[in-house]
Amino acid sequence: MFYMIIGEDRAGTLNQRMAARPAHVERLKALQEEGRLLLAGPCPAIDSPDPGPAGFTGSLIIAEFASLEAAQAWAGADPYVAAGVYEKVTVKPFKKVLPA
C-alpha cells in the first residue's frame, strides 16, 4: 500500500536541510530503484520553484511500504529528522486513484 509522509520543517533550518539533503535524496533514490516511490519533493516557502533563502516549509513523499509501521519507521530514520530539520512528521495511508 502507498503511504504519504509529510515532513514539516522547523523554522530556520535551511542550512541543516541543505547539509542533510544528499543523504535524504539517496534514500529516495533507493525507493525509486525498488519501484516503490510514487513521488517526492519539497514545499517551497514562497511561490517559486527556487525559493532561495526563503527555504522550504516541508516535504511530501508518497511511497509503497508493507505496513503503516514500516512507513513510520522509514520516515523516522530520515536524515532530515536526525538533522533536526523536521519539526513534525505525519504518515498516513494513501490510495492512488488518478492518474489511473
Side-chain angles (χ1 to χ4, degrees):
M1 178 166 196
F2 285 112
Y3 294 88
M4 62 183 221
I5 300 167
I6 303 165
E8 298 178 41
D9 285 17
R10 187 178 318 278
T13 58
L14 181 58
N15 289 338
Q16 292 98 310
R17 175 183 262 273
M18 298 313 292
R21 186 175 186 277
H24 172 79
V25 171
E26 282 304 311
R27 295 180 82 230
L28 294 171
K29 286 181 180 179
L31 285 178
Q32 183 178 15
E33 289 169 6
E34 295 167 7
R36 297 171 42 205
L37 183 66
L38 185 62
L39 65 86
C43 303
I46 60 173
D47 190 12
S48 172
D50 181 5
F56 301 90
T57 61
S59 304
L60 171 65
I61 300 164
I62 301 178
E64 189 173 21
F65 293 92
S67 66
L68 177 60
E69 293 77 18
Q72 289 169 329
W74 188 92
D78 193 285
Y80 286 169
V81 171
V85 174
Y86 287 158
E87 180 172 52
K88 179 181 177 187
V89 177
T90 304
V91 181
K92 296 181 178 184
F94 179 82
K95 181 179 176 183
K96 182 180 179 278
V97 175
L98 294 172

